[in-house]
Amino acid sequence: MKVSTINGVKIYHCTPGKTLPQWFDGARNVKSRKESLRYNESYRRRIDLIQDFHFPTAANTLKVSPNGEFVVACGTYKPQMKMFELSQLGMKFERHMDAEGIACEFLGEDFKKFVLLRDDRFLEFHAQYGLHHKLRVPKFGRDLCYLSASCDLLVGCASSAIPRVNLFRGEFLTPYETSLKGVNAISENKVHGLVAAAGESGTVECFDPRNGKRVAHLRIAESLARLDARAAQEVKEKQG
């Protein structure tokens, strides 16, 4: 794919490119294709388009599988989800839902097990054959995080508590208690295993999943304000 830039705006040309005879002749004459493609600028700058990667109105969320081979996306209207296989540059399957999906999380390395969070407080657990189970959470959800080591599914909600669903035992566990009015995003650090929850008023809290206790509290908004004030003071001193 050819890419050009005009006034800082990138323009992608989908039609220019080698025809099949040109590509076949080039591939046949290459002695060591792996070595040649390493220095092939057009190959390194190529852009591959995924077929049917669109929704009638808008896409709400998407997630890449842990093995990097699949992408699940939720969109509207009508509410639906689509699974794409990157190696084939196409859609693997699509399924329709009763409400819009706002977050998704893979429960395994590939597409065979994943969960969707709907905007009507329901969780949809999907398997390779289709919808497996539905579960309603106490509050309206905003984000998902799956802890594979303990099989805990965390749901960031419009409340100070973070509900925990243990998928091995099939029951709700004691939620994480935060000082936030609502949890907008939640994520696990793959290095040390701490869970970070970002909420309203620009605050982030970290939890240890081994005991469910809070271990850190950071006010991002105040920290950025202090950094901006310090930077402005440094610029003023340099100019003065």
Side-chain angles (χ1 to χ4, degrees), residues 152-240:
D152 286 347
L153 180 65
L154 308 181
V155 185
C157 298
S159 68
S160 59
I162 302 177
R164 288 194 300 160
V165 183
N166 187 274
L167 303 185
F168 181 77
R169 298 166 57 179
E171 61 182 8
F172 281 95
L173 302 180
T174 304
Y176 293 166
E177 294 295 338
T178 72
S179 60
L180 309 173
K181 295 181 179 179
V183 178
N184 298 329
I186 184 170
S187 179
E188 177 194 17
N189 189 295
K190 300 301 182 180
V191 178
H192 49 64
L194 294 182
V195 176
E200 300 174 2
S201 70
T203 304
V204 175
E205 295 185 358
C206 296
F207 294 84
D208 188 345
R210 294 173 297 181
N211 54 23
K213 296 182 178 180
R214 187 177 66 182
V215 296
H217 181 90
L218 178 62
R219 299 184 181 274
I220 302 297
E222 296 180 2
S223 300
L224 292 178
R226 289 195 296 267
L227 290 176
D228 292 341
R230 186 183 304 173
Q233 182 65 26
E234 293 178 356
V235 172
K236 185 176 181 180
E237 292 177 356
K238 290 181 180 180
Q239 292 178 349

Side-chain angles (χ1 to χ4, degrees), residues 8-9 13-14 27 34 55 62 66 114 140 170 177 183 189 227 233:
V9 179
H13 304 271
C14 300
K34 182 177 180 181
F55 290 92
L62 59 88
F114 60 96
F140 286 96
E177 294 295 338
V183 178
N189 189 295
L227 290 176
Q233 182 65 26

Side-chain angles (χ1 to χ4, degrees), residues 1-3 12-24 42 46-47:
M1 178 179 290
K2 188 176 180 181
V3 182
Y12 300 89
H13 304 271
C14 300
T15 53
K18 293 183 179 180
T19 61
L20 181 60
Q22 293 175 334
W23 179 87
F24 183 76
S42 61
R46 79 191 189 283
I47 297 178

Side-chain angles (χ1 to χ4, degrees), residues 65-70 106-113:
S65 63
N67 60 9
E69 297 181 3
F70 300 93
F106 284 91
L107 304 179
E109 291 294 322
D110 53 16
F111 71 97
K112 297 179 181 179
K113 295 179 182 180

Side-chain angles (χ1 to χ4, degrees), residues 112-123:
K112 297 179 181 179
K113 295 179 182 180
F114 60 96
V115 58
L116 303 176
L117 174 63
R118 300 185 341 197
D119 62 357
D120 60 351
R121 291 172 52 185
F122 272 94
L123 293 171

